[in-house]
Amino acid sequence: MSAQSMLIGNRPCRIYGEAHAEYLLLQMTGEHELQSMDSEVAAMAQSAHQFLFAAIPVENWNDALSPWEAPAAWGKQGFGGNAADTLRFLTEQVVPTLKQQFNLPENVKIILGGYSLAGLFALWASTQTHLLYGVAAASPSVWFPGWMEFEQQHPMQAQHIYLSLGDKEEHTKNAVMAEVGDNIRALHSRLTERGADCALEWNSGGHFKDADLRTAKAFRWAMEENR
């Protein structure tokens, strides 16, 4: 499946897939992920469903994808809390442009996914908008300060939610990030109790292993309706 490049707003988005598709898959991406995007999409294409997939770059990962400000969890760079601007760009520019350009059905099923902080962004976006059919959150940063409390107050609205984590991720000396395991288990239980269609899958290894394939698996799961 070959990519085409398309400017939306002033961002060079990478588009894969076909017009008139039943699913619109969106992923916020950093520079580091674009190199493995072809292999991720090839893994996704094993699904029987027709989809249009858009990789949307963000300039400053920590700022663009964090829902509110938070101090640095590692290194020196904190989190700027600009997720609301990123979501507005998605809903006001990306989705309408792709719908029009690729003749997508009015009720196309939109799945927002991503890895790490982009996975958290997708979960958070689902607390803000009812546009999303599903969320594909691979190794999402659910350790993010205040996230679990926020979601309790503002429940996610998507009904199909895939969560995954590497089985070594919670065994970190970083006290903030070590909460990721307990938090993802609690989130999975909470969503299931509310009646959402929600999976939690454990992958072997740490956070940086097979990010492209783990994200592809997340999107594929969210497109499979006959579970």
Side-chain angles (χ1 to χ4, degrees), residues 140-157:
S141 308
V142 291
W143 52 262
F144 194 79
W147 158 251
M148 293 298 286
E149 297 78 6
F150 180 85
E151 199 281 335
Q152 191 89 60
Q153 305 297 318
H154 310 84
M156 289 174 58
Q157 300 175 51

Side-chain angles (χ1 to χ4, degrees), residues 8-205:
I8 303 181
N10 54 356
R11 298 194 206 195
C13 299
R14 212 185 274 189
I15 316 290
Y16 299 79
E18 47 207 313
H20 312 290
E22 159 189 24
Y23 289 93
L24 172 58
L25 313 181
L26 305 171
Q27 181 182 343
M28 308 311 297
T29 52
E31 273 303 311
H32 56 291
E33 293 178 304
L34 288 171
Q35 294 139 17
S36 57
M37 202 46 74
D38 288 354
S39 65
E40 180 185 321
V41 174
M44 271 196 283
Q46 294 165 17
S47 164
H49 296 281
Q50 288 188 317
F51 62 82
L52 186 78
F53 173 78
I56 301 131
V58 295
E59 270 182 26
N60 188 318
W61 182 261
N62 278 18
D63 291 349
L65 300 176
S66 50
W68 44 81
E69 291 184 19
W74 69 92
K76 293 194 170 135
Q77 196 194 356
F79 298 91
N82 296 338
D85 293 339
T86 304
L87 181 58
R88 198 172 305 117
F89 176 69
L90 271 186
T91 57
E92 294 178 7
Q93 294 198 55
V94 174
V95 171
T97 301
L98 294 175
K99 272 187 166 180
Q100 186 180 3
Q101 200 81 11
F102 293 93
N103 287 322
L104 299 176
E106 192 43 51
N107 61 347
V108 66
K109 293 173 176 147
I110 301 173
I111 299 170
L112 177 60
Y115 199 81
S116 195
L117 197 58
L120 178 80
F121 170 75
L123 295 170
W124 171 83
S126 178
T127 70
Q128 303 296 299
T129 176
H130 59 276
L131 265 184
L132 302 178
Y133 167 84
V135 171
S139 286
S141 308
V142 291
W143 52 262
F144 194 79
W147 158 251
M148 293 298 286
E149 297 78 6
F150 180 85
E151 199 281 335
Q152 191 89 60
Q153 305 297 318
H154 310 84
M156 289 174 58
Q157 300 175 51
Q159 284 305 296
H160 307 276
I161 301 125
Y162 175 95
L163 305 167
S164 72
L165 206 62
D167 57 13
K168 294 199 171 105
E169 293 194 53
E170 58 190 318
H171 306 298
T172 168
K173 293 188 171 70
N174 183 313
V176 176
M177 296 168 83
E179 292 181 13
V180 71
D182 287 344
N183 284 3
I184 207 160
R185 289 182 195 92
L187 185 61
H188 176 246
S189 301
R190 188 189 287 179
L191 291 166
T192 306
E193 278 162 23
R194 288 189 203 136
D197 172 24
C198 181
L200 170 55
E201 188 160 352
W202 292 88
N203 296 302
S204 66

